[in-house]
Amino acid sequence: MAYITVKNFGEDRFEEKKSEFIGYARRVENEEEAKDFINEIKNMHKQARHNCSAYIIGSKMNTQRYSDDGEPQGTAGIPILEVMKKSGVTDCAVVVTRYFGGILLGTGGLTRAYTKGASIAIKAAGVVEKVEGLKLSFELEYDLFGKIQYICGQNSWHIEDTEYTDKVIVHILSENTISNTMKNEIVEATNGKVIVRKSEEGVYFKEGNRLYAKI
């Protein structure tokens, strides 16, 4: 399992024929969080004519909802949702607020404006990958530590933490897909003189070759 979500809270805005559009994006874990975020933006912009939204939940994008919030049907919520789907983001909610400037945009103009509002919001938030992973801990003698450092450097495996006691314990966050390869290479390089422990299995954020529990 691997999928894309937004990295941070994102906000950006633009003006189209005197109407101001403000796009917001946030990472959410479930529908309740998505609805809370949408309501938060609506409360922030009570004077706005429209606060149109969409959200996608689940690693397989199985939950998808949208709202035109008073705009002509199909001109706001669906364009926002389509931008999210094309961007590949899930576990994400997007709201595009519109302050009406007095000039009608027409259905084509509205669709383009809400598409742009969603796009700039996601761009402002940035994207990050989520993957299944775990912590691998390697306990070994000091004279073997250099071999682990070399192997990790060659494979771009990030050493998350190192404990120095009577032995050295190296902690690495690994994707499930490469954890066996990582373990086997280190065991082979140390001639089996290493104790390997697995822990903290779950979903991690991935940037480059490094995993993060939180981001």
Side-chain angles (χ1 to χ4, degrees):
M1 179 207 71
Y3 58 94
I4 302 296
T5 187
V6 290
K7 181 178 178 181
N8 302 301
F9 170 79
E11 175 186 347
D12 203 352
R13 62 188 67 204
F14 68 96
E15 188 173 298
E16 182 69 27
K17 294 183 178 179
K18 297 186 178 181
S19 282
E20 182 181 22
F21 291 85
I22 312 169
Y24 299 93
R26 177 178 290 173
R27 188 172 67 246
V28 293
E29 299 298 328
N30 49 56
E31 284 198 80
E32 183 178 357
E33 287 188 12
K35 292 174 182 178
D36 286 346
F37 172 59
I38 293 168
N39 288 330
E40 177 186 332
I41 299 302
K42 285 184 174 182
N43 288 332
M44 187 189 308
H45 294 289
K46 291 180 179 179
Q47 303 305 314
R49 178 72 67 90
H50 308 282
N51 289 284
C52 305
S53 60
Y55 60 84
I56 302 176
I57 306 293
S59 60
K60 296 182 179 180
M61 297 185 166
N62 48 310
T63 300
Q64 302 182 11
R65 303 285 186 271
Y66 64 87
S67 170
D68 292 314
D69 194 38
E71 291 284 27
Q73 185 176 358
T75 62
I78 289 179
I80 295 170
L81 185 66
E82 286 301 312
V83 169
M84 299 174 71
K85 289 164 66 176
K86 288 179 181 178
S87 300
V89 296
T90 186
D91 287 354
C92 173
V94 173
V95 182
V96 180
T97 297
R98 179 191 183 191
Y99 282 91
F100 183 56
I103 300 176
L104 297 175
L105 301 183
T107 56
L110 287 173
T111 298
R112 288 189 294 271
Y114 282 103
T115 295
K116 181 177 179 179
S119 297
I120 62 176
I122 292 172
K123 183 178 180 180
V127 297
V128 66
E129 190 175 5
K130 291 186 80 173
V131 299
E132 290 181 337
L134 73 162
K135 178 190 281 188
L136 289 175
S137 299
F138 302 92
E139 183 179 328
L140 64 157
E141 299 293 341
Y142 276 78
D143 61 347
L144 295 172
F145 182 37
K147 290 188 176 181
I148 284 192
Q149 289 179 305
Y150 176 77
I151 291 171
C152 288
Q154 288 294 103
N155 290 281
S156 298
W157 296 337
H158 180 79
I159 295 176
E160 195 68 29
D161 189 26
T162 306
E163 295 181 53
Y164 301 95
T165 58
D166 58 323
K167 293 188 178 182
V168 181
I169 304 175
V170 177
H171 302 289
I172 304 173
L173 295 178
S174 169
E175 282 187 74
N176 284 356
T177 54
I178 64 168
S179 61
N180 284 334
T181 298
M182 183 183 295
K183 181 191 72 174
N184 292 339
E185 285 199 26
I186 290 176
V187 168
E188 181 179 352
T190 58
N191 295 317
K193 297 178 181 179
V194 60
I195 297 173
V196 184
R197 298 185 178 89
K198 298 180 180 181
S199 62
E200 300 181 20
E201 295 187 43
V203 178
Y204 290 85
F205 296 99
K206 179 184 177 183
E207 285 195 298
N209 290 307
R210 187 174 180 183
L211 302 190
Y212 298 85
K214 294 181 180 180
I215 200 167

